[in-house]
Amino acid sequence: VDQRGRGAIEAAKRGAVGALVRSMTSAHDDFPHTGTMRYDDKVTKVPGAALSTIAADRLSQQLKQDPKLEFELEMGCQTLPDVKSYNVVGEIKGSTRPEEIITIGGHLDSWDLAQGAHDDGTGCVQSIEVLRLLKASGLRPERTIRAVLFMNEENGARGGQKYAELAKAAGEKHLAAIESDGGGFTPRGFGFEADAATIAKVQAWRPLLAPYLAGQLGPGHGGTDIEPLKDQVKALIGYDCDSQRYFDIHHTAADTFDKVNRRELELGGAAMATLVYLLSKYGL
Ligand SMILES: [Zn+2]
């Protein structure tokens, strides 16, 4: 990913007129992978593009045959002006401690070439699913559970920043925030950005999460959208699932709804609901 992110900067420093990277995937197909790239004000801005793995192999082969090969690059991408957009928020008020909030979320936006089914449609659905499961089971959480579908994760995380800013300005008390943004695959567990005592407390709940295959609990990464809440919570929590197939489709036109397995998605939502319920009952 460093080649995609900084490729155009490093290439320009060496006098290149553009940068091409092989897509960050182990899949051998014709889908180029997009994603964030950066420029450095001190270095000339040159175009940067990604090639599908099949195209990259073909180019490499042709370059070996003809090192003077000419390559023509035509790109149609552009950055449009900002427009106003919104996070989408829904919550179940806590029964005994409504002022303490547990935020769960995913992000609504996706890269322009993709449906964004796994990145991050599944995270949005699982966040809503947590509220639905709690209602369907008749369990009223003690603390407030708030599902947030964040806007603009892929292009600056401004939805997450605004949410944290408004929460602070309103004097809200957040206990924890959970994000699902690694695809909707079979659960593995949860990664915690929290102190050792907090993680140890949560690890005692392992047997309750194991039935959903979500028993791996330990230090990890929360999520881009909840990161701005860091100084307002006791724990940032990232939903971890089987990541082996994620980069086959991540940030490509192949990230479509048919790639989502309903059972795997449901197990993840149930694991998140279990963790959220335990957090709402016992705190941290
Ligand atoms: Zn994402």
Side-chain angles (χ1 to χ4, degrees):
V1 175
D2 57 356
Q3 294 169 42
R4 185 191 73 208
R6 291 190 51 87
I9 299 171
E10 297 303 323
K13 275 189 198 166
R14 288 158 179 80
V17 295
L20 285 173
V21 295
R22 182 187 167 89
S23 289
M24 262 52 70
T25 175
S26 47
H28 198 241
D29 61 21
D30 260 321
F31 295 105
H33 292 227
T34 190
T36 306
M37 54 140 357
R38 284 179 290 282
Y39 284 116
D40 182 333
D41 286 342
K42 290 176 240 78
V43 182
T44 317
K45 283 185 182 178
V46 299
L51 286 172
S52 73
T53 44
I54 286 179
D57 284 352
R58 196 175 298 144
L59 178 62
S60 173
Q61 232 170 35
Q62 290 179 353
L63 276 169
K64 278 173 195 143
Q65 283 161 7
D66 177 9
K68 288 197 161 51
L69 185 80
E70 281 193 20
F71 186 95
E72 202 176 297
L73 178 65
E74 189 180 327
M75 296 169 74
C77 50
Q78 52 183 317
T79 302
L80 300 174
D82 283 348
V83 291
K84 193 167 194 174
S85 197
Y86 298 89
N87 296 329
V88 178
V89 182
E91 68 178 26
I92 296 178
K93 275 257 177 286
S95 58
T96 60
R97 298 170 188 250
E99 72 288 355
E100 284 190 41
I101 299 159
I102 300 163
T103 286
I104 49 172
H107 64 85
L108 265 178
D109 62 307
S110 69
W111 282 94
D112 49 324
L113 48 64
Q115 279 183 11
H118 275 284
D119 186 15
D120 184 23
T122 50
C124 291
V125 168
Q126 285 173 328
S127 302
I128 298 167
E129 177 73 350
V130 169
L131 301 187
R132 191 195 69 81
L133 283 171
L134 288 172
K135 284 195 85 168
S137 63
L139 293 167
R140 178 92 189 267
E142 295 193 20
R143 292 167 167 89
T144 294
I145 313 299
R146 186 183 289 166
V148 183
L149 315 185
F150 293 97
M151 184 46 80
N152 186 243
E153 189 269 351
E154 303 285 8
N155 189 23
R158 280 177 284 177
Q161 286 159 18
K162 195 61 172 181
Y163 180 74
E165 189 188 306
L166 292 176
K168 190 174 250 178
E172 287 183 344
K173 190 175 173 206
H174 280 256
L175 177 74
I178 306 176
E179 180 152 0
S180 167
D181 186 21
F185 302 101
T186 305
R188 289 283 182 266
F190 295 90
F192 292 79
E193 290 181 45
D195 59 45
T198 303
I199 295 176
K201 174 166 183 175
V202 174
Q203 281 171 335
W205 300 337
R206 195 174 268 152
L208 299 167
L209 288 157
Y212 306 105
L213 313 173
Q216 290 177 16
L217 310 171
H221 173 63
T224 304
D225 295 297
I226 57 174
E227 191 68 34
L229 278 172
K230 197 174 174 80
D231 61 355
Q232 300 180 51
V233 293
K234 284 200 83 175
L236 293 177
I237 307 170
Y239 167 64
D240 290 335
C241 61
D242 177 4
S243 61
Q244 301 307 312
R245 285 169 288 147
Y246 191 38
F247 276 77
D248 287 358
I249 56 167
H250 182 247
H251 292 180
T252 77
D255 184 3
T256 49
F257 188 62
D258 56 299
K259 308 297 191 311
V260 180
N261 176 282
R262 181 174 178 158
R263 179 64 178 165
E264 293 183 16
L265 186 68
E266 285 174 345
L267 281 170
M272 285 169 65
T274 303
L275 179 62
V276 161
Y277 182 72
L278 291 165
L279 288 170
S280 82
K281 192 166 175 65
Y282 300 110
L284 279 173

